Amino acid sequence: MAILVTGAAGFIGFYTAQILLARGERVIGIDNLNDYYFVKLKHDRIAALNAMGGDFRFVECDFGDEHALEAAIAGESIDRIAHIGAQAGVRYSLQNPRAYVHSNLVGHVNILELGRQAGVKHIVYASSSAVYGGNDSLPFRVEDRVDQPLSLYAATKKADELMSESYAHLYRIPQTGLRFFTVYGPWGRPDMAVWLFTDAILRGRPISVFNSGAMRRDFTYIDDIIAGVISALDNPPADDGQTKSGGSRSPHTIYNIGNNQSEDLGELIDTIEAACGRPAIRQMMPMQPGDVKETFADISAIQRELGFRPTTGIKVGIPRFVSWFRDYYGMN
Ligand SMILES: NC(=O)c1ccc[n+]([C@@H]2O[C@H](COP(=O)([O-])OP(=O)(O)OC[C@H]3O[C@@H](n4cnc5c(N)ncnc54)[C@H](O)[C@@H]3O)[C@@H](O)[C@H]2O)c1
């Protein structure tokens, strides 16, 4: 039996595959290696997975194309799916909305159909804190209404949760949706603040500080996130008619997965400056369309049910990222 990891060349999918391989699972990784950010990083992640010498097969495949997806997994017995791949990024969804429709809507349905046909035991899929939109009741709770997305990206993630609910109801496919809160760490995403700031500071370039720094984020270190993803994958929700986190009475749970601590953007920049040993040149910018001012996760459900305990604050996580970044670019 194999576990299908989508977006295996991406930041979180790469780590998911890595942990599963390390514990001896057979992993089929798929990714279309698109150029939303520089593709070499995706190739390097796949090379690192191949170098582990585990039971790993990577297939370059677009899961928005149902036939390509079928061909990619032909002959495999898949019993669980970690559907981590998607078109990520809030701001890019204003420039290229169709990429989100293709990967996050059509792609999500294709994965659900695959799960239905293969009769999988569990699908864990990536949602996002972005679904909370402009909610101003903090911390964000899975019980809160999330009907006012501020970007198409957020709307597609909410739609994924709804489509998953319909499949959990109709076909009783156990599913867990994870609303990730700003994930960072080694091998991270080049379009996100931690990478952009580190890159600019180390190269002496100015950084863009949106909303003049009046923003807060629940930054979550990758190791903490992955512990949650793996424990979710190992614990499919029961089909017992009980109400699940997120409100479903079908086997479908939705969890927030964050650090449960909201950090000031200025504090984050101070921490990156300290880790880089250089000052930032801060350029104050207005709020970006689609962005939210603050995120803060109530993680009580995943704490209670899966024992999730994030332990890495930014004072520990940021220096680890900066150190990896310097190594990756040979800046030591
Ligand atoms: N990193 C975060 O802070 C964060 C926060 C909230 C939600 N998420 C969600 O978590 C998931 C993983 O995010 P990430 O940070 O690893 O992003 P990422 O962009 O590094 O990884 C996503 C991967 O999916 C692949 N992909 C996209 N469309 C595809 C398609 N049609 N077919 C095959 N592969 C495709 C991409 O090539 C990429 O490698 C995404 O669903 C994202 O929306 C991430």
Side-chain angles (χ1 to χ4, degrees), residues 251-322:
H252 181 207
T253 306
I254 293 177
Y255 292 122
N256 282 339
I257 174 162
N259 198 35
N260 187 225
Q261 207 167 321
S262 192
E263 311 274 358
D264 185 75
L265 186 58
E267 179 76 21
L268 173 80
I269 299 169
D270 295 346
T271 310
I272 299 177
E273 280 179 329
C276 292
R278 297 181 64 156
I281 308 161
R282 301 180 197 215
Q283 265 178 359
M284 297 306 173
M285 307 284 282
M287 185 79 179
Q288 292 285 289
D291 251 0
V292 302
K293 287 208 176 86
E294 178 164 5
T295 67
F296 180 15
D298 173 341
I299 56 171
S300 49
I302 193 168
Q303 262 176 333
R304 192 174 56 244
E305 292 170 21
L306 298 182
F308 176 69
R309 298 264 179 285
T311 53
T312 319
I314 61 170
K315 296 280 185 254
V316 172
I318 291 293
R320 284 192 200 156
F321 170 74
V322 171

Side-chain angles (χ1 to χ4, degrees), residues 10-31:
F11 175 33
I12 302 173
F14 159 70
Y15 278 95
T16 304
Q18 193 182 59
I19 298 292
L20 293 172
L21 287 170
R23 71 176 199 189
E25 309 271 8
R26 172 158 178 74
V27 174
I28 314 298
I30 60 172
D31 200 296

Side-chain angles (χ1 to χ4, degrees), residues 11-12 31 37 42 62-63 84 103 153 157 183 189:
F11 175 33
I12 302 173
D31 200 296
Y37 57 75
K42 298 184 181 184
D62 176 356
F63 55 66
I84 310 293
S103 290
Y153 167 65
K157 288 292 174 180
V183 189
R189 280 227 327 257

Side-chain angles (χ1 to χ4, degrees), residues 7 9-13 30-34 36-37 42 45 61-64 84-88 102-103 126-129 153 157 180-183 189 192:
F11 175 33
I12 302 173
I30 60 172
D31 200 296
N32 66 354
L33 302 174
N34 68 57
Y36 168 58
Y37 57 75
K42 298 184 181 184
R45 294 188 187 119
C61 157
D62 176 356
F63 55 66
I84 310 293
Q87 179 56 58
H102 177 76
S103 290
S127 185
S128 170
S129 62
Y153 167 65
K157 288 292 174 180
F180 294 125
F181 281 67
T182 318
V183 189
R189 280 227 327 257
M192 293 183 68

Side-chain angles (χ1 to χ4, degrees), residues 50-248:
N50 279 322
M52 290 178 71
D55 195 358
F56 180 58
R57 184 163 77 92
F58 175 70
V59 189
E60 184 173 340
C61 157
D62 176 356
F63 55 66
D65 173 344
E66 60 180 286
H67 302 297
L69 181 59
E70 261 171 41
I73 53 131
E76 297 285 353
S77 297
I78 304 235
D79 70 341
R80 285 180 287 170
I81 302 176
H83 179 36
I84 310 293
Q87 179 56 58
V90 167
R91 288 168 200 155
Y92 185 61
S93 69
L94 281 76
Q95 291 165 38
N96 190 359
R98 286 186 177 81
Y100 293 75
V101 172
H102 177 76
S103 290
N104 302 7
L105 300 182
V106 179
H108 195 79
V109 174
N110 288 346
I111 295 294
L112 291 174
E113 271 299 303
L114 188 162
R116 176 163 83 105
Q117 272 143 30
V120 296
K121 288 196 281 207
H122 194 191
I123 301 175
V124 171
Y125 65 91
S127 185
S128 170
S129 62
V131 299
Y132 291 105
N135 285 16
D136 50 14
S137 156
L138 293 159
F140 295 151
R141 301 171 333 131
V142 276
E143 296 79 23
D144 296 342
R145 285 193 68 166
V146 286
D147 298 320
Q148 276 79 41
L150 297 183
S151 64
L152 186 75
Y153 167 65
T156 64
K157 288 292 174 180
K158 172 64 183 171
D160 289 345
E161 294 180 356
L162 292 172
M163 292 190 285
S164 279
E165 173 63 16
S166 70
Y167 269 61
H169 167 70
L170 288 169
Y171 310 115
R172 315 315 288 183
I173 305 173
Q175 291 174 76
T176 303
L178 299 173
R179 291 179 178 169
F180 294 125
F181 281 67
T182 318
V183 189
Y184 73 99
W187 295 100
R189 280 227 327 257
D191 59 322
M192 293 183 68
V194 169
W195 181 298
L196 292 169
F197 291 167
T198 302
D199 192 32
I201 293 171
L202 288 174
R203 297 179 206 279
R205 290 197 311 259
I207 61 171
S208 300
V209 183
F210 295 115
N211 204 32
S212 301
M215 303 241 266
R216 298 181 70 86
R217 288 284 178 278
D218 196 323
F219 290 102
T220 319
Y221 190 66
I222 185 68
D223 291 2
D224 289 330
I225 282 285
I226 291 302
V229 172
I230 300 296
S231 112
L233 196 61
D234 288 343
N235 290 283
D239 193 1
D240 56 6
Q242 297 296 308
T243 303
K244 306 287 183 289
S245 169
S248 178

